[in-house]
Amino acid sequence: MRRYLFWVVLTLALAALPVWAQATGNTFYIELVRRMMIFAIGAISLNLILGYGGLVSFGHAAFLGTGGYAVGVLAFYGIFDGWLQWGTAIFGSALVALFIGAVSIRTSGIYFIMITLAFSQMLYYLGISIEEYGGDDGIRLKARSQFPLVDLTDAVQFYYVVLALMLACALIVHRIVHSRFGMVLRAAKSNEARTRAIGFSPYAYRLAAFVIAGAMGGLAGALLVNQTNYLTPEFMNWTRSGELMFMVILGGMGTSAGPVVGAFALLILEDVLAGMTEYFLVILGPLLVLSVIFFRRGLAGIFSRHD
Amino acid sequence: MTDEVLLEVRELSKSFGALRATDGVTFDVRKGETHAFIGPNGAGKTTLISQLAGNLLPDTGRILFAGEDITALPAPKRARRGLARSFQITSIYPEFTALQNVALAVQAHSGSSFRFWGDARKDRTLTEPARQVLEDVGLGERTDVLAANLAHGEHRQLEVAMALATRPRLLLLDEPMAGMGAEESQRMIALLSSLKRRQTIILVEHDMDAVFRLADRISVLVYGRIIATGAPDEVRTNPEVRAAYLGEDS
Amino acid sequence: MSAALVFEQMLNGVQLGVMLFLLAAGLTLVLGIMNIVNLAHGSLYMIGAYFAITVGQWSGSFLLGVLAGLAGTLLVGMVVELVVLRALYDRDHLDQVLATFGLILFFNELVAILWGRFALFASLPTYLQGHVEFAGIIYPLFRLVIILVGLAVAVLLWYVVTRTRLGMLIRAGASNRTMVSALGINIRMLYTVVFGFGAALAGLAGLMAGQIYTVQPGMGEMILIQAFVVIVIGGIGSIRGALVGALIVGVVDTLARAFLKPLLTLALTPGAADTASPAIASMLIYLLMALVLALRPAGLFPARGG
């Protein structure tokens, strides 16, 4: 019951925000919260494999990067059709996830962490090395993705598109984790030996989850490049992967509200600290360390018990 | 116990460095039989179960299940062929309810699990059989309790339930009564008794009372080798066995 | 593309490999024996460089800088172990990754505050400058020194690991930690020594790197990830694996960056080769890692017995 309450309140609050922002002249909040929702989608996708699946993927930002590049590169060549761009972003990321996952998921533990990190770095360096698309400086996005019924250059319309997508992604992950597929994924995380003993081979399920998460991350990337109007390999920097992991953990792993709460909390914290000093990471770093040492269960434990 | 052989094990051997944990083990298990393995600690009983279940690869030897060579077959595939195992040290899903635990075992054997939308908690093809199995093992009243909150004895019952839920042809029970008090043990013996008619069971146990009441045949394992196989009375009176094992205990 | 050029690049590859080895050796020991993944290892590398350069310039003595680099790294390493890592020994790898990730952010920013975000430049003392001539090439003296130092450390490590009691404990601990502590060996002491070793190696790599590579906040992470690739290829807990893996990665990466373009120009148009080669060169060691994993999921020389 509390879980439903959370989502209803959240949806209403987020839906009302642009109205309030325009009325009070604080329109920059629209951009700000929109950015948080985009990262929330990234965190939701990572939560599927990390929070529910137990796959400590330290390379998730690579999928956001792939999605962003799909849109950015198509735009570079004058292709602005939103369906085509976002479709490519999603399928492209899914494909990349398939390759990375196929190799990585055969390993476990610390190997898996290092390998996913290495592969995402590989893509990062790939992005840097392609001078055509700006190399490590990046390039401006020529124009935002174009769709028949909505105009993404309108800040408010874009905002509601992102809100709708965030809620949709949260719902999708929620249904997945309670489906037969999701139960196997969670079981494999909880007790792998037992899962094999009853007749499941976790590999295929984990790979499928990894691909789904990658595809959703690609969507987040497509939204992100539209949000920033700029394409840069920094989307894929491993520190972004670390940030995404923190969003999932801080919010509460393996809960449906967790990634959203975590994304908002971390980004708000970063913005507040950045407002105080340019060197805010020297404060954020230790805060993150302390949060891991002392505050493991995350924030969303307040809102929903284990689903 | 029929004459049809369900499991054939031939010259199974497994060494860890200089330690011969399994040494040329050969035996048959017939369909409908309850075949118990006893032996002192360190005799290699769990190592043997692990090789039969597919968790450990033997160095040499063969395992044939219903005529099929499963020696190198991975554990999940053996489970799908009807070879179910319970663990000596409780291995369940602590954060799921007892019902969900068993429902997962049911799910492994009822069609594809690559379904992404339908709520598994409401899937009656999973929950109904699961309830039935929990009822059979005596956990009918505890279906909605989180597995972590069950008592130790109930954990052992849950282990058996999960093995049963996979509709097995052969049950590998590794010390199902481990850590149980007297009363709980009696209940477990009654449960296993009721299974005897319908199942083929390989039972590893230390509880001699249970072994002699349940087993059709007993094999005695010492230092990885079977030193005797036969009906309970034969084994009980076998001098080698008494010397190696029973003599110390009784 | 003469033989001399290839030889020179191979030496560069060995030099990179030796640096990677110093970093990877410490990481793999800590991972293998203490089962801790410490991302802040790269920060120790960075601190070694910064301390060495700063003290060297301030005092005018290169050697003093070297000592400062080593001592400073060791000190910071000890503090990190005491304050942060001790709390993480019993936690899972995810927690360790996240916590040490927070440390990286902290150290990078701290260095930026104290020294600024722009690159720092070092200058070698005259006795280490210049070139040596041999085997038909003219090679920078300092790079040769790095190779020699690295190989000397490799020999030292080999000696310690195979010929001393400490080394025996290390090898035992790498393959079965619980057994070692069950035997009553003072695990805390062993951990501290191993961690100190690792920190010193990172600092040594850093202070040498500081003389030839860019010194700026974040320099540790780039080489750290390459060190991970080395460990995955070589196998966790294995010094031998770290050396072999490091040399392979160092040589492959360097040769690819140097020669892939001319090689590809033979097969493709100059334009295509121009865009493709830096891209492929940067991906090569990761593809190599993927290949090794496909064939040997536990690396080439896995130390872990079980």
Side-chain angles (χ1 to χ4, degrees):
Chain A
M1 207 52 235
R2 273 194 292 199
R3 192 178 344 122
Y4 290 124
L5 191 65
F6 167 81
W7 285 106
V8 166
V9 171
L10 181 77
T11 307
L12 288 176
L14 288 176
L17 182 99
V19 178
W20 169 84
Q22 286 180 316
T24 56
N26 291 325
T27 47
F28 64 90
Y29 275 112
I30 299 177
E31 304 272 330
L32 199 71
V33 176
R34 195 171 66 211
R35 177 168 165 267
M36 292 181 192
M37 291 195 292
I38 292 174
F39 277 104
I41 295 178
I44 288 171
S45 63
L46 180 58
N47 189 35
L48 174 64
I49 51 176
L50 173 59
Y52 289 105
L55 300 176
V56 185
S57 166
F58 207 140
H60 204 67
F63 303 122
L64 277 82
T66 307
Y69 265 84
V71 169
V73 168
L74 284 175
F76 181 78
Y77 290 118
I79 300 173
F80 301 109
D81 176 56
W83 296 113
L84 189 61
Q85 283 184 337
W86 291 19
T88 310
I90 293 174
F91 279 114
S93 299
L95 210 61
V96 169
L98 182 63
F99 283 125
I100 295 180
V103 175
S104 318
I105 293 175
R106 295 175 62 218
T107 68
S108 61
I110 186 58
Y111 279 110
F112 182 76
I113 300 174
M114 295 199 292
I115 289 157
T116 48
L117 176 57
F119 277 130
S120 83
Q121 260 324 75
M122 175 183 91
L123 290 174
Y124 173 67
Y125 287 132
L126 182 62
I128 289 183
S129 71
I130 303 184
E131 286 301 324
E132 297 277 291
Y133 312 129
D136 60 350
D137 287 323
I139 46 170
R140 279 184 49 83
L141 186 69
K142 281 199 182 157
R144 285 190 176 168
S145 309
Q146 286 161 5
F147 287 95
L149 294 170
V150 287
D151 177 20
L152 292 187
T153 58
D154 178 314
V156 176
Q157 288 188 45
F158 188 18
Y159 178 97
Y160 283 116
V161 166
V162 172
L163 174 59
L165 285 173
M166 184 187 82
L167 294 173
C169 287
L171 179 67
I172 289 173
V173 169
H174 180 80
R175 295 302 304 236
I176 288 178
V177 301
H178 291 293
S179 70
R180 284 190 172 212
F181 172 83
M183 289 307 291
V184 178
L185 186 69
R186 294 158 68 189
K189 173 192 183 209
S190 170
N191 187 337
E192 179 155 354
R194 171 42 86 185
T195 308
R196 293 174 62 87
I198 53 179
F200 290 115
S201 292
Y203 178 81
Y205 297 90
R206 288 176 166 156
L207 184 57
F210 200 76
V211 170
I212 294 171
M216 202 178 273
L219 175 64
L223 293 171
L224 188 60
V225 76
N226 274 288
Q227 162 82 10
T228 58
N229 282 315
Y230 204 83
L231 180 67
T232 158
E234 288 307 307
F235 285 172
M236 303 191 269
N237 194 337
W238 73 304
T239 49
R240 311 318 286 271
S241 290
E243 270 188 308
L244 282 168
M245 286 171 79
F246 262 106
M247 290 177 193
V248 172
I249 306 296
L250 278 181
M253 288 211 297
T255 64
S256 53
V260 176
V261 173
F264 275 70
L266 185 63
L267 290 172
I268 290 174
L269 181 63
E270 281 182 3
D271 277 349
V272 165
L273 289 177
M276 294 179 350
T277 161
E278 125 185 37
Y279 297 109
F280 71 95
L281 287 174
V282 87
I283 306 174
L284 185 64
L287 278 181
L288 295 178
V289 176
L290 289 173
S291 75
V292 172
I293 294 180
F294 294 113
F295 189 43
R296 207 28 192 85
R297 280 206 59 235
L299 300 164
I302 317 172
F303 293 108
S304 53
R305 293 157 179 265
H306 253 294
D307 293 16
Chain B
M1 186 161 85
T2 65
D3 282 329
E4 181 193 333
V5 172
L6 190 56
L7 187 75
E8 291 168 71
V9 177
R10 295 283 173 268
E11 294 297 317
L12 206 64
S13 292
K14 178 76 185 172
S15 299
F16 297 105
L19 176 69
R20 304 216 73 177
T22 309
D23 193 355
V25 164
T26 300
F27 65 93
D28 285 344
V29 176
R30 297 171 204 151
K31 188 156 175 227
E33 176 187 355
T34 297
H35 192 119
F37 280 85
I38 62 175
N41 279 322
K45 301 192 293 294
T46 299
T47 309
L48 180 61
I49 294 274
S50 293
Q51 289 172 79
L52 294 178
N55 302 115
L56 210 58
L57 208 61
D59 296 332
T60 55
R62 297 205 305 159
I63 305 170
L64 289 128
F65 183 52
E68 183 192 350
D69 189 334
I70 61 166
T71 320
L73 206 63
K77 289 196 177 162
R78 294 192 203 195
R80 290 203 285 271
R81 278 166 176 60
L83 215 144
R85 154 191 204 160
S86 80
F87 289 85
Q88 180 188 358
I89 301 178
T90 299
S91 177
I92 52 174
Y93 303 113
E95 73 267 42
F96 293 153
T97 64
L99 185 67
Q100 285 174 313
N101 267 266
V102 180
L104 266 162
V106 173
Q107 188 183 317
H109 298 258
S110 34
S112 166
S113 285
F114 278 94
R115 299 192 204 165
F116 299 84
W117 199 261
D119 193 336
R121 294 172 294 190
K122 305 201 179 112
D123 188 339
R124 312 205 73 176
T125 60
L126 301 179
T127 55
E128 287 311 304
R131 275 186 211 284
Q132 185 57 55
V133 172
L134 282 168
E135 193 71 51
D136 291 344
V137 306
L139 287 175
E141 307 294 303
R142 309 281 280 159
T143 57
D144 294 322
V145 177
L146 281 183
N149 295 336
L150 292 173
H152 174 76
E154 292 173 317
H155 279 159
R156 305 310 292 153
Q157 288 169 283
L158 187 59
E159 279 278 335
V160 175
M162 290 182 79
L164 281 178
T166 61
R167 290 204 294 259
R169 293 194 282 168
L170 175 62
L171 273 172
L172 295 168
L173 301 179
D174 194 351
E175 299 193 35
M177 282 171 282
M180 275 186 165
E183 203 188 303
E184 291 172 318
S185 293
Q186 291 307 309
R187 278 205 293 266
M188 180 61 86
I189 293 176
L191 166 62
L192 296 178
S193 255
S194 72
L195 293 177
K196 267 177 68 70
R197 282 164 272 122
R198 299 173 274 154
Q199 296 285 353
T200 310
I201 302 175
I202 289 181
L203 176 70
V204 168
E205 247 312 328
H206 275 301
D207 185 329
M208 286 301 127
D209 186 27
V211 169
F212 284 107
R213 275 166 63 180
L214 294 168
D216 298 317
R217 285 198 300 160
I218 302 177
S219 287
V220 185
L221 208 57
V222 178
Y223 291 134
R225 289 182 52 241
I226 296 184
I227 63 169
T229 298
D233 286 327
E234 292 170 36
V235 167
R236 205 199 308 251
T237 54
N238 182 316
E240 268 187 70
V241 172
R242 297 190 83 95
Y245 183 43
L246 289 176
E248 300 163 18
D249 253 300
S250 56
Chain C
M1 203 162 94
S2 63
L5 197 57
V6 175
F7 180 48
E8 187 178 339
Q9 288 302 334
M10 282 212 60
L11 279 181
N12 282 342
V14 170
Q15 179 248 299
L16 174 61
V18 141
M19 292 275 226
L20 285 173
F21 167 68
L22 290 175
L23 223 54
L27 257 183
T28 204
L29 275 183
V30 169
L31 194 53
I33 295 171
M34 298 161 70
N35 202 21
I36 282 223
V37 50
N38 174 23
L39 296 184
H41 200 76
S43 300
L44 293 173
Y45 167 87
M46 173 179 70
I47 286 169
Y50 270 91
F51 275 21
I53 292 179
T54 307
V55 172
Q57 282 175 348
W58 167 78
S59 71
S61 160
F62 177 73
L63 282 175
L64 214 57
V66 168
L67 284 173
L70 288 173
T73 310
L74 211 56
L75 193 66
V76 173
M78 290 291 131
V79 171
V80 164
E81 201 256 339
L82 204 66
V83 174
V84 178
L85 294 181
R86 285 259 166 111
L88 298 171
Y89 280 164
D90 299 322
R91 308 282 284 266
D92 60 19
H93 286 311
L94 173 60
D95 287 350
Q96 295 166 1
V97 161
L98 291 174
T100 52
F101 172 73
L103 280 180
I104 292 178
L105 296 180
F106 171 70
F107 279 122
N108 279 336
E109 207 66 8
L110 189 63
V111 164
I113 293 176
L114 296 174
W115 280 279
R117 292 193 201 279
F118 296 105
L120 215 58
F121 288 105
S123 49
L124 283 169
T126 32
Y127 56 87
L128 284 175
Q129 288 173 11
H131 297 74
V132 243
E133 234 184 283
F134 64 96
I137 62 164
I138 299 172
Y139 199 67
L141 174 62
F142 192 67
R143 288 191 183 241
L144 207 57
V145 167
I146 293 179
I147 295 177
L148 294 173
V149 167
L151 292 177
V153 169
V155 169
L156 175 70
L157 274 177
W158 168 82
Y159 182 81
V160 168
V161 168
T162 54
R163 294 264 186 274
T164 67
R165 188 176 137 79
L166 173 66
M168 182 198 68
L169 290 175
I170 287 175
R171 272 180 296 142
S175 62
N176 195 330
R177 196 177 334 108
T178 32
M179 185 63 77
V180 171
S181 71
L183 289 173
I185 309 293
N186 188 344
I187 272 289
R188 276 292 148 90
M189 203 67 246
L190 185 64
Y191 280 10
T192 308
V193 169
V194 167
F195 190 79
F197 242 9
L201 289 175
L204 178 63
L207 69 90
M208 290 199 295
Q211 302 296 329
I212 51 173
Y213 296 145
T214 328
V215 176
Q216 63 189 22
M219 64 187 273
E221 282 66 70
M222 302 198 288
I223 197 167
L224 181 76
I225 294 178
Q226 287 182 305
F228 280 153
V229 173
V230 166
I231 295 181
V232 169
I233 290 178
I236 290 179
S238 166
I239 302 271
R240 185 179 12 162
L243 185 60
V244 171
L247 288 174
I248 292 177
V249 169
V251 170
V252 167
D253 191 58
T254 309
L255 290 181
R257 285 178 199 281
F259 298 122
L260 199 60
K261 188 148 78 173
L263 277 177
L264 280 185
T265 331
L266 296 175
L268 305 170
T269 67
D274 219 32
T275 18
S277 25
I280 298 180
S282 63
M283 294 203 299
L284 207 54
I285 59 167
Y286 303 101
L287 296 174
L288 183 64
M289 178 186 74
L291 185 67
V292 169
L293 278 178
L295 302 171
R296 298 272 192 99
L300 295 175
F301 302 101
R304 285 262 178 84

